[in-house]
Amino acid sequence: MHASRGRSAGLGLALGSAFAFGGSGVAAKPLIEAGLDPLHVVWLRVAGSALVMLPVAWRHRDLVLRRPALLVGFGLLAVAGVQACYFAAISRIPVGVALLIEYLAPALVLGWVRFVQRRPVTRAAAVGAVLAVAGLACVVEVWAGLTFDAFGLLLALAAACCQVGYFVLADQGGEGEDAADPLGVIAYGLLIGTVVLTVIARPWGMDWALLGGSADLGGTLVPAWLLLGWVVLIATVVAYVTGVISVRKLSPQVAGVVACLEAVIATVLAWGLLGEHLSAPQIFGGAVVLAGAFIAQSRTSKSPKSPKSPKAPSGPVAGGGPETVAQPAVPEVELSAPHAAT
């Protein structure tokens, strides 16, 4: 019962994170159309969030000495890397192609868990990842503008790899006796990401006066600062906090597949708020992504940390914590050997 509640809470947080991340484009696009450079919007997003989380960083300042590698990795990959690589990719290849490649991350997470961490990956998680990627191809209508640019494709793949780093580091940061508080990791990740993106975006050349004006949100003039506030507080701070905690309650592979809903949510919000209508293939693709996310989470759990018992007993695993779900009487066939303790 406790395990089921823990998984339900994790799924709720993962869905909340996908919704928050998915709303970033709807709020950021009017700012870009008002005259702000896309990289400047990214810098404002990360720097503003870092400022909001600065008191949290001070409270968890011991992490700088205890887990420096985790903080640097999260800042470089999960914050700066994803943003910079994605925006660089869409400058060379269509947005739909870049988005699809970036969301290959759930499949890459499965590969990391299976071949690097040597942890079990269920067939449900693998099937869910394949369905999610296939559904995303329909949501972004990848066939609408496929242009082969080798460097652009590499940049999009780099964004996917950085997103893998987000899920893996969020999970590993919560393991062991020296587990790092997720809020502290996010706070320092945003601070480090701000430093990196400052070099890339060069915000001193930004037209700051645009933030005092208005932007067109689906035919309605909205204060630019209000849209920026949404991007900072909801689409970044809330999105990262709920996302990292959901990874720790579920697993990188399950949270990664559920995160694919971000593209569906972004498309639906753009339909309702910006008037960007959905086509029949996009609606079908959204349904496929939902099916993939449901299949992945319905039969997947974190593997036990102890290597002593190769078979999971019927019922809750002793010592597994809230992340471990009850196993069926007949164990599910897995794609790998039992998890080796790290």
Side-chain angles (χ1 to χ4, degrees):
M1 181 67 70
H2 181 62
S4 178
R5 286 197 301 267
R7 188 178 67 170
S8 297
L11 288 172
L13 289 169
L15 289 172
S17 179
F19 180 85
F21 274 127
S24 63
V26 173
K29 186 172 181 178
L31 294 175
I32 295 172
E33 292 178 341
L36 283 175
D37 184 90
L39 276 179
H40 289 161
V41 175
V42 173
W43 182 84
L44 286 169
R45 173 185 186 179
V46 177
S49 302
L51 186 62
V52 172
M53 297 292 286
L54 194 58
V56 178
W58 175 254
R59 180 180 180 182
H60 296 284
R61 56 191 180 277
D62 62 306
L63 287 176
V64 175
L65 298 178
R66 289 199 301 115
R67 305 297 296 272
L70 173 64
L71 301 183
V72 172
F74 195 86
L76 291 178
L77 297 177
V79 178
V82 172
Q83 303 288 343
C85 290
Y86 174 72
F87 276 91
I90 62 176
S91 69
R92 305 179 67 97
I93 61 177
V95 173
V97 178
L99 189 61
L100 175 62
I101 295 175
E102 181 184 347
Y103 276 93
L104 289 175
L108 297 178
V109 167
L110 292 178
W112 173 273
V113 171
R114 170 63 181 89
F115 297 108
V116 178
Q117 294 184 329
R118 301 185 66 82
R119 293 167 62 178
V121 174
T122 62
R123 294 187 185 277
V127 171
V130 171
L131 285 175
V133 172
L136 279 171
C138 296
V139 171
V140 304
E141 293 187 327
V142 65
W143 55 83
L146 183 59
T147 301
F148 182 77
D149 183 306
F151 188 59
L153 293 176
L154 285 176
L155 286 170
L157 184 59
C161 292
C162 288
Q163 195 175 41
V164 171
Y166 162 74
F167 291 113
V168 173
L169 290 173
D171 181 55
Q172 290 186 344
E175 294 181 346
E177 297 180 357
D178 195 33
D181 187 279
L183 295 180
V185 173
I186 294 166
Y188 279 101
L190 290 169
L191 286 170
I192 294 170
T194 299
V195 173
V196 175
L197 288 172
T198 298
V199 177
I200 298 174
R202 294 178 288 184
W204 46 85
M206 179 171 49
D207 186 359
W208 293 87
L210 291 172
L211 296 178
S214 300
D216 184 6
L217 179 65
T220 302
L221 289 180
V222 178
W225 63 265
L226 185 61
L227 293 174
L228 180 60
W230 175 276
V231 171
V232 169
L233 296 176
I234 304 300
T236 307
V237 174
V238 172
Y240 271 106
V241 170
T242 53
V244 170
I245 296 176
S246 72
V247 172
R248 295 189 178 186
K249 286 184 173 294
L250 298 171
S251 67
Q253 56 266 42
V254 176
V257 174
V258 177
C260 288
L261 294 174
E262 176 188 336
V264 179
I265 292 169
T267 304
V268 172
L269 289 177
W271 184 12
L273 297 178
L274 300 179
E276 298 180 354
H277 298 290
L278 294 176
S279 65
Q282 286 178 311
I283 296 175
F284 172 76
V288 174
V289 173
L290 288 171
F294 175 78
I295 292 172
Q297 63 83 25
S298 63
R299 297 292 302 279
T300 310
S301 67
K302 277 192 172 183
S303 57
K305 301 298 180 187
S306 172
K308 294 181 180 180
S309 178
K311 292 186 178 181
S314 177
V317 179
E323 297 86 355
T324 306
V325 299
Q327 300 292 328
V330 180
E332 180 181 1
V333 178
E334 295 180 331
L335 301 183
S336 68
H339 166 54
T342 55

